Amino acid sequence: MILTLPEIILLSILAFCLLVQLYFVLFVHLKLANATVEAIPSTARKPLSVIVCARNEIKNLREYLPTLMTQNYPEYEVVVVNDRSWDGTEEFLEEMEKVYPNMKVVKVLDNDKFLAGKKFAVTMGIKGAKYEWLVFTDADCTPGSDQWLMDMQQPEDDNTEIVLGYSPYIKKRGLLNALIRFETFFTAVNYLSFALKGMPYMGVGRNMAYKKSLFFKSKGFASHMHIPSGDDDLFVNANAKRHNTEIRIHPDSHVWSEPNRTWVGYLKQKKRHFGAGKMYKSKHKFILSLQIIFQFLFYGFFVAGMFLSREAQYIAGGILLLSIIIRSLIYPKLLKRLNYSDLRWWFPILDILLFLFLTLNGFLAMFGRKKVNWK
């Protein structure tokens, strides 16, 4: 078997891309697969405030708000921010306040003097909260159990200022749902693993917590108020450090969320996230770009290898097979840990589909229209 010089170069690049890919698999993601899931504390230490922002979410509030109000936690309040809703949310929340004494409603009114958006609503909710420890979720979310707040409460180590939770999407029928859940899985594996490695870079507002004093000390969202998204990941990116951030992945502390039902809605959601990512710290943008670029190069050079000699095709195929085998030994365990066990049989296919989709979405986000709203 004699390979030409161009074939040797191409296959060498493909092999190097595999090594970079395996670095993230074996030295980053494997930390989460091997991490010990600690038991939920049996007693609560301090009172806390749950903050939920809602804009025309009456259907979700009717379904999910009771699960927030009936948590097994001795002292907490739920602050619901009614962000300029016109769908009957105001009347519904007024009735709920009569039922639940630990519920508080904060209203955001239409006013042309400020730039309305979720960040403003979150800020108003934080100002209205009476406790130091703040736990965040969304109106279309429901905790996995009544032990959610017990696990998301303020840690005993007072140096911990941020807790990153996990929020899977509810299973529905169809390819879109599988793709959304698979993408959410990889996003979670990445940010939770890097947090364990001592480099926290993002969190999701559907399930996270931090100190009220940290918010005001860091001037809240002032540095990125002009970006519609980022009330969760940009705040964490700016303030999370090796020694002030912890993660929570116990199944009872998962917060389940309603996924997008349409491709257009999902594309809009990813476009908002893409815009926020541009504001990450340089080191985080570098490491995340490295992941994407070498994933792109890996599949690109593999496809190119299929147009070479039969010997080169065999080697390229062997490199791809090695990648799939190694990742198949790790990711199914993570899929089970993160409540997506049903996707493990579709792992290689969804991995390729997700790569193609995110590549397309990246181009659309770069050349699409600039204005994006949160609701």
Side-chain angles (χ1 to χ4, degrees):
M1 179 178 66
I2 299 176
L3 299 175
T4 65
L5 181 60
E7 288 176 332
I8 293 174
I9 293 174
L10 186 148
L11 292 173
S12 298
I13 295 174
L14 181 61
F16 181 72
C17 291
L18 173 64
L19 291 176
V20 174
Q21 182 187 79
L22 293 184
Y23 164 78
F24 291 103
V25 175
L26 300 176
F27 294 95
V28 181
H29 297 168
L30 188 59
K31 293 182 73 68
L32 182 63
N34 293 334
T36 301
V37 181
E38 297 180 356
I40 291 179
S42 58
T43 58
R45 295 178 63 242
K46 298 178 181 179
L48 57 82
S49 298
V50 178
I51 296 179
V52 183
C53 294
R55 179 165 166 80
N56 294 324
E57 296 270 14
I58 187 168
K59 180 181 176 181
N60 289 321
L61 288 171
R62 287 186 187 278
E63 184 171 358
Y64 299 127
L65 187 58
T67 65
L68 302 182
M69 307 306 308
T70 54
Q71 284 291 300
N72 180 25
Y73 200 84
E75 187 176 356
Y76 74 100
E77 65 171 353
V78 175
V79 180
V80 182
V81 183
N82 179 15
D83 185 14
R84 299 164 294 138
S85 300
W86 61 83
D87 64 344
T89 293
E90 181 174 356
E91 293 76 13
F92 171 72
L93 292 178
E94 287 176 354
E95 291 300 315
M96 289 299 97
E97 279 188 294
K98 299 175 183 178
V99 178
Y100 301 109
N102 61 328
M103 178 178 161
K104 179 179 182 180
V105 178
V106 174
K107 296 180 184 179
V108 176
L109 304 176
D110 281 310
N111 190 331
D112 294 333
K113 293 181 180 180
F114 63 77
L115 179 63
K118 188 176 182 182
K119 289 177 182 173
F120 185 85
V122 173
T123 301
M124 294 300 291
I126 292 173
K127 289 182 176 180
K130 63 180 178 179
Y131 298 126
E132 165 71 354
W133 192 250
L134 310 174
V135 182
F136 296 85
T137 190
D138 288 340
D140 61 349
C141 295
T142 180
S145 76
D146 65 357
Q147 300 294 307
W148 169 52
L149 292 182
M150 293 292 285
D151 208 30
M152 294 298 290
Q153 66 175 293
Q154 185 172 352
E156 292 185 11
D157 183 359
D158 199 52
N159 291 323
T160 300
E161 298 179 292
I162 299 174
V163 168
L164 306 178
Y166 168 61
S167 179
Y169 280 110
I170 298 170
K171 182 181 178 180
K172 306 285 184 180
R173 297 180 62 182
L175 175 62
L176 175 61
N177 180 261
L179 194 64
I180 288 175
R181 293 190 297 131
F182 195 71
E183 186 268 333
T184 304
F185 161 74
F186 263 106
T187 299
V189 167
N190 224 35
Y191 78 77
L192 293 170
S193 297
F194 271 107
L196 283 174
K197 196 173 175 62
M199 196 177 80
Y201 69 88
M202 70 161 282
V204 292
R206 302 190 301 275
N207 192 14
M208 60 183 286
Y210 53 77
K211 289 183 177 180
K212 186 176 183 178
S213 56
L214 175 66
F215 181 83
F216 289 111
K217 180 175 65 176
S218 60
K219 298 182 180 179
F221 309 127
S223 63
H224 48 85
M225 198 72 178
H226 59 289
I227 297 178
S229 61
D231 57 284
D232 46 9
D233 60 336
L234 288 182
F235 182 83
V236 172
N237 191 263
N239 296 285
K241 301 177 179 62
R242 176 187 294 270
H243 301 298
N244 79 337
T245 305
E246 297 182 12
I247 71 168
R248 295 289 185 271
I249 56 173
H250 192 286
D252 285 347
S253 68
H254 295 180
V255 170
W256 292 84
S257 181
E258 285 284 346
N260 266 297
R261 301 294 184 93
T262 66
W263 289 95
V264 173
Y266 183 48
L267 282 168
K268 288 181 178 179
Q269 181 187 51
K270 299 315 298 176
K271 183 177 179 180
R272 290 198 301 269
H273 296 167
F274 183 86
K278 296 178 181 178
M279 295 288 293
Y280 283 9
K281 292 177 181 177
S282 297
K283 63 179 180 180
H284 298 146
K285 287 193 291 186
F286 172 77
I287 199 76
L288 295 173
S289 297
L290 202 66
Q291 279 185 289
I292 296 171
I293 290 171
F294 276 93
Q295 186 81 341
F296 181 86
L297 291 175
F298 180 77
Y299 283 118
F301 278 98
F302 169 75
V303 172
M306 294 298 98
F307 294 93
L308 302 179
S309 66
R310 180 168 298 182
E311 291 79 5
Q313 291 177 13
Y314 287 151
I315 295 174
I319 292 174
L320 176 65
L321 182 61
L322 180 61
S323 169
I324 292 174
I325 290 174
I326 293 175
R327 290 183 296 148
S328 294
L329 293 174
I330 296 171
Y331 289 125
K333 180 179 180 180
L334 285 167
L335 282 164
K336 182 178 180 181
R337 171 163 282 188
L338 298 183
N339 263 318
Y340 284 152
S341 293
D342 62 294
L343 297 179
R344 65 188 185 276
W345 307 112
W346 303 97
F347 165 69
I349 297 174
L350 287 172
D351 186 53
I352 295 173
L353 289 177
L354 179 62
F355 164 74
L356 294 173
F357 177 81
L358 293 181
T359 301
L360 172 63
N361 186 62
F363 283 111
L364 292 176
M366 285 190 290
F367 301 108
R369 63 188 182 91
K370 299 297 181 181
K371 186 175 180 181
V372 183
N373 298 317
W374 85 277
K375 286 288 182 183

